[in-house]
């Protein structure tokens, strides 16, 4: 009985460590995407054209500067797209972690529930044995006391094991709450990803339009004398 209790305690310590590890992982789920900070190059072709109307070379130089600035904007957009790709992958990783944690938590709840039930059954058996020995007055004092001490020791061990089992069940409940918070945080993270993707698409579309306009204007400017 005592050796079995010792094995149970060692097993419990391993499971407690696992629970602590899972809880720590869940606490790291409150994350957010990196906000977009891209400001596209502002320019007005009509104003540039009017400003350099009599100086075609200066106009072409100004347009080239705008084109170069837009290329830098394009690099920033590409960097943001790469970042968004990593954030999407991270979201999938979190979803997998939550799924695995949920599965493991469910398995542990079943395991701990079964263990708690077995401990209670053993405790009832010990109580019945105590009631029986109390009625067996025909036994000599030494025999009865030795057996009663043995049963009392079992009761003590079982009482400790049951308290530990109750603690584990509470830890499971806490972990389930933590997982729920992780799921909510993941939903928020995914909403941020989709909003960022939408904004980035809008920025990229606007960037391409501006680049096309400058390219067309440069083509026209090259014919100016």
């Amino acid at each position: 009985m005592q050796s079995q209790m010792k094995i149970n305690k060692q097993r419990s310590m391993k499971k407690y460590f696992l629970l602590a590890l899972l809880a720590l992982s869940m606490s790291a789920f409150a994350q957010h995407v990196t906000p977009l900070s891209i400001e596209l190059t502002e320019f007005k072709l009509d104003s540039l054209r009017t400003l350099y109307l009599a100086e075609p070379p200066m106009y072409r130089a100004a347009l080239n500067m705008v084109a170069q600035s837009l290329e830098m904007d394009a690099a920033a957009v590409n960097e943001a797209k790469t970042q968004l790709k990593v954030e999407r992958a991270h979201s999938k990783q979190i979803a997998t972690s939550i799924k695995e944690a949920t599965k493991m938590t469910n398995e542990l709840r079943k395991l701990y529930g079964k263990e708690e039930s077995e401990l209670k059954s053993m405790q009832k058996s010990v109580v019945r044995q105590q009631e029986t020995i109390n009625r067996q007055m025909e036994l000599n004092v030494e025999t009865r006391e030795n057996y009663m001490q043995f049963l009392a020791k079992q009761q003590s061990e079982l009482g400790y094991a049951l308290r530990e089992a109750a603690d584990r069940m509470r830890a499971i409940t806490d972990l389930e709450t933590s997982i729920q918070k992780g799921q909510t945080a993941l939903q928020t993270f995914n909403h941020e990803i989709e909003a960022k993707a939408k904004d980035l698409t809008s920025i990229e579309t606007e960037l391409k339009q501006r680049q096309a306009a400058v390219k067309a204007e440069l083509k026209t400017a090259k014919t100016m004398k």
Side-chain angles (χ1 to χ4, degrees):
M1 178 70 178
Q2 291 182 359
S3 60
Q4 182 62 42
M5 288 293 182
K6 185 176 181 181
I7 292 173
N8 287 340
K9 289 178 184 178
Q10 291 174 343
R11 185 175 63 180
S12 297
M13 287 178 64
K14 292 179 181 179
K15 290 171 185 175
Y16 265 131
F17 176 73
L18 177 61
L19 284 173
L21 210 60
L22 284 171
L24 182 63
S25 299
M26 292 299 107
S27 68
F29 281 167
Q31 299 173 32
H32 300 280
V33 299
T34 301
L36 290 173
S37 58
I38 301 172
E39 293 186 10
L40 296 179
T41 301
E42 295 288 345
F43 60 92
K44 292 183 179 180
L45 291 179
D46 290 343
S47 297
L48 288 174
R49 195 180 300 114
T50 300
L51 182 64
Y52 298 111
L53 184 63
E55 300 176 274
M58 291 292 291
Y59 183 42
R60 288 191 289 270
L63 289 173
N64 280 320
M65 288 181 63
V66 172
Q68 289 174 8
S69 183
L70 289 172
E71 282 298 320
M72 293 177 64
D73 293 344
V77 167
N78 288 333
E79 184 179 345
K81 289 171 70 174
T82 299
Q83 187 181 68
L84 182 62
K85 184 178 180 180
V86 173
E87 288 168 341
R88 286 190 186 278
H90 183 59
S91 172
K92 291 181 180 179
Q93 184 179 3
I94 291 177
T96 299
S97 295
I98 290 178
K99 183 178 179 180
E100 291 176 351
T102 300
K103 180 181 177 182
M104 191 169 297
T105 301
N106 291 337
E107 290 175 352
L108 287 174
R109 177 172 281 284
K110 291 178 182 178
L111 179 65
Y112 292 159
K114 182 180 179 181
E115 183 179 7
E116 187 176 37
S117 178
E118 290 174 350
L119 287 169
K120 287 179 179 179
S121 178
M122 292 170 66
Q123 191 179 52
K124 288 179 180 179
S125 176
V126 172
V127 170
R128 286 194 297 269
Q129 293 177 63
Q130 288 174 321
E131 291 172 347
T132 299
I133 193 65
N134 282 329
R135 292 194 301 267
Q136 294 174 330
M137 303 303 295
E138 295 80 7
L139 297 173
N140 63 56
V141 174
E142 183 180 3
T143 298
R144 290 179 71 248
E145 287 185 351
N146 284 339
Y147 191 56
M148 288 173 69
Q149 288 177 4
F150 169 71
L151 292 175
K153 179 64 175 175
Q154 287 192 59
Q155 275 285 40
S156 176
E157 291 287 344
L158 285 167
Y160 175 83
L162 278 167
R163 289 192 296 274
E164 191 179 56
D167 287 341
R168 287 197 298 273
M169 292 301 284
R170 282 192 290 272
I172 285 292
T173 299
D174 291 342
L175 181 56
E176 287 170 340
T177 299
S178 182
I179 289 174
Q180 290 175 354
K181 290 180 179 178
Q183 290 171 331
T184 300
L186 178 58
Q187 289 177 352
T188 300
F189 189 54
N190 284 334
H191 288 155
E192 290 182 6
I193 286 175
E194 294 311 312
K196 180 176 180 177
K198 184 178 179 180
D199 290 343
L200 188 56
T201 297
S202 178
I203 290 172
E204 187 174 24
T205 299
E206 177 63 23
L207 172 63
K208 288 180 179 179
Q209 290 175 350
R210 295 186 187 189
Q211 285 180 313
V214 171
K215 184 178 180 180
E217 191 66 19
L218 264 172
K219 186 175 181 180
T220 299
K222 286 178 181 178
T223 62
M224 295 170 63
K225 301 294 184 179

